[in-house]
Amino acid sequence: MAPMGIRLSPLGMAVFCLLGLGVLYHLYSGFLAGRFAFFMLSEPAAGGPETPHGSAPGGAVDLRELLAVSVLAAVRGGEEVKRVREGNVLNAKAKGKTREGAEEQLTTGDLLSNRRMFYLLKGAFPAVQINSEERVDTADQETVSWDRSIPEDIKQKIQPKEVPAESVTVWIDPLDATQEYTEDLRQYVTTMVCVAVNGKPVIGVIHKPFSSYTAWAMVDGGSNVKARSSYNEKTPRIIVSRSHAGKVEQVARQTFGNKTVIIPAGGAGYKVLALLDVPEKNQEEADVYIHVTYIKKWDICAGNAVLRALGGHMTTLTGEEISYTGSDGNEGGLIASINMNHKALIEKLPDLEKRSHK
């Protein structure tokens, strides 16, 4: 029996419990709703924002996509180079001197090409380190988008391949052969992009703006260019910088014979293309490319990658591999060849390494 003769009916107990639950609901509903909202915001929402362009889960980048953007960047930069030259608004000025004392030129073509190439690559792959010959002016930033489309020839030859973003370094040469550009020697001019993974060049793009020809290759992937099939190791045709022809000619003729042909040319990109089977009427052909002085890595990285992809070699004059990390310069000169005995070439030219520091 309940106290004081009061009996509690089952219906009354049920009403009391419901009232208690109502009070508890009002007290904790706000807290629970807040916790639920926090949980939902902390988890990726289905159909939410996509991973940024050029990135993949875990901070990886797809080399096939990077190749596609590199080709596009070289072409877009080349459009600026061509437009400035044809409009004759170069505004050329000296930006310094080389170690040899030669005056380095800077033109509007260099700057506009650099801006277009840099921001296209940076927008597509924001986590990747990009090294460029020209300084990037953040006050002159340009938004250049990539629609993530991959050309059919790249799709057919290259498979997707992801690498950690931190292992990648991109080297841009927005206008190779600036001196020749100012002299209107258009055949030597190229725009180039190179991708190095852990210091090794794996993607190379060399674009000729005035003929719209583009060579690209990816190590262990594929390419749209081939090596030439005929070479002469006994009396090779050696392509060198226009200013270095005299330094190389004497030693080359002493080494290979008086019939050795020395080809003076402008631009590192042009010289590498001379070693390949390039369907260009203004493209000279050579068997070996030699440079006997200090050279910047953005000048040679793309050509190095293309040669590696095709089974060729580009090393210092003493045969050391060139690493595309750290400083932007290569001290040891270079010798490049394809389908030849590269080691034998180095052994035949022992004096050039000493001359590279003079």
Side-chain angles (χ1 to χ4, degrees):
M1 179 178 290
M4 299 181 67
I6 299 174
R7 298 178 61 185
L8 296 177
S9 69
L11 178 61
M13 290 294 292
V15 171
F16 179 81
C17 290
L18 288 173
L19 289 173
L21 289 173
V23 172
L24 290 174
Y25 171 80
H26 284 289
L27 287 173
Y28 288 99
S29 60
F31 172 78
L32 291 173
R35 295 301 297 171
F36 178 75
F38 176 79
F39 172 78
M40 291 300 293
L41 290 172
S42 300
E43 293 294 320
E50 294 180 358
T51 303
H53 288 183
S55 302
V61 296
D62 180 3
L63 291 180
R64 185 172 74 166
E65 291 188 348
L66 190 45
L67 169 59
V69 179
S70 297
V71 170
L72 181 60
V75 172
R76 292 281 178 84
E79 291 170 355
E80 297 296 314
V81 168
K82 183 178 180 181
R83 182 175 63 83
V84 170
R85 177 67 265 184
E86 292 183 343
N88 200 27
V89 287
L90 274 64
N91 298 318
K93 60 182 180 180
K95 69 174 182 179
K97 291 190 175 182
T98 66
R99 291 189 179 185
E100 300 168 280
E103 202 170 70
E104 286 190 291
Q105 296 287 314
L106 178 66
T107 71
T108 301
D110 293 88
L111 297 175
L112 294 181
S113 175
N114 183 69
R115 184 178 68 177
R116 181 63 60 88
M117 294 173 72
F118 178 86
Y119 285 115
L120 176 57
L121 286 158
K122 197 64 179 176
F125 293 89
V128 167
Q129 178 182 339
I130 301 176
N131 296 334
S132 179
E133 179 174 8
E134 308 304 338
R135 185 176 65 87
V136 178
D137 188 353
T138 55
D140 196 26
Q141 184 172 346
E142 180 176 359
T143 301
V144 187
S145 61
W146 175 50
D147 62 5
R148 305 197 74 178
S149 63
I150 299 176
E152 285 301 317
D153 59 340
I154 294 178
K155 278 185 179 180
Q156 292 173 6
K157 296 180 180 181
I158 307 294
Q159 296 298 314
K161 182 179 180 180
E162 289 187 353
V163 296
E166 62 270 18
S167 70
V168 176
T169 305
V170 176
W171 295 84
I172 298 175
D173 193 341
L175 200 169
D176 189 40
T178 299
Q179 180 62 43
E180 287 74 18
Y181 182 65
T182 63
E183 298 172 15
D184 208 15
L185 300 174
R186 305 183 182 195
Q187 71 271 24
Y188 297 129
V189 176
T190 61
T191 57
M192 296 187 286
V193 180
C194 176
V195 176
V197 177
N198 295 319
K200 295 183 178 181
V202 298
I203 290 175
V205 180
I206 304 175
H207 175 68
K208 300 182 77 172
F210 297 101
S211 66
S212 299
Y213 173 77
T214 306
W216 59 260
M218 177 173 159
V219 175
D220 297 328
S223 70
N224 71 340
V225 65
K226 297 179 181 179
R228 288 189 300 107
S229 57
S230 59
Y231 296 88
N232 191 336
E233 291 195 46
K234 293 183 178 179
T235 55
R237 289 167 293 182
I238 300 177
I239 194 164
V240 299
S241 295
R242 296 162 69 204
S243 59
H244 296 167
K247 292 183 178 181
V248 177
E249 183 171 6
Q250 183 178 1
V251 174
R253 293 190 186 282
Q254 290 174 352
T255 304
F256 298 108
N258 290 329
K259 292 184 179 181
T260 301
V261 177
I262 303 298
I263 304 172
Y270 178 89
K271 297 184 189 80
V272 169
L273 291 178
L275 307 181
L276 307 176
D277 185 10
V278 174
E280 288 277 290
K281 63 180 181 180
N282 291 328
Q283 178 67 60
E284 295 167 283
E285 295 182 351
D287 302 311
V288 181
Y289 165 29
I290 293 176
H291 188 86
V292 295
T293 60
Y294 173 88
I295 191 168
K296 292 296 183 68
K297 291 178 180 177
W298 41 67
D299 290 318
I300 60 176
C301 186
N304 197 342
V306 171
L307 289 174
R308 285 188 70 226
L310 298 176
H313 301 275
M314 179 184 287
T315 66
T316 65
L317 294 172
T318 57
E320 297 176 359
E321 296 293 334
I322 302 169
S323 175
Y324 293 91
T325 57
S327 68
D328 60 15
N330 172 52
E331 297 281 354
L334 71 85
I335 179 169
S337 69
I338 188 167
N339 289 344
M340 298 183 74
N341 188 331
H342 193 77
K343 184 177 180 181
L345 287 172
I346 294 169
E347 292 173 349
K348 286 181 178 180
L349 297 170
D351 295 333
L352 287 179
E353 196 278 331
K354 294 178 183 178
R355 294 181 178 224
S356 69
H357 301 292
K358 290 185 178 180

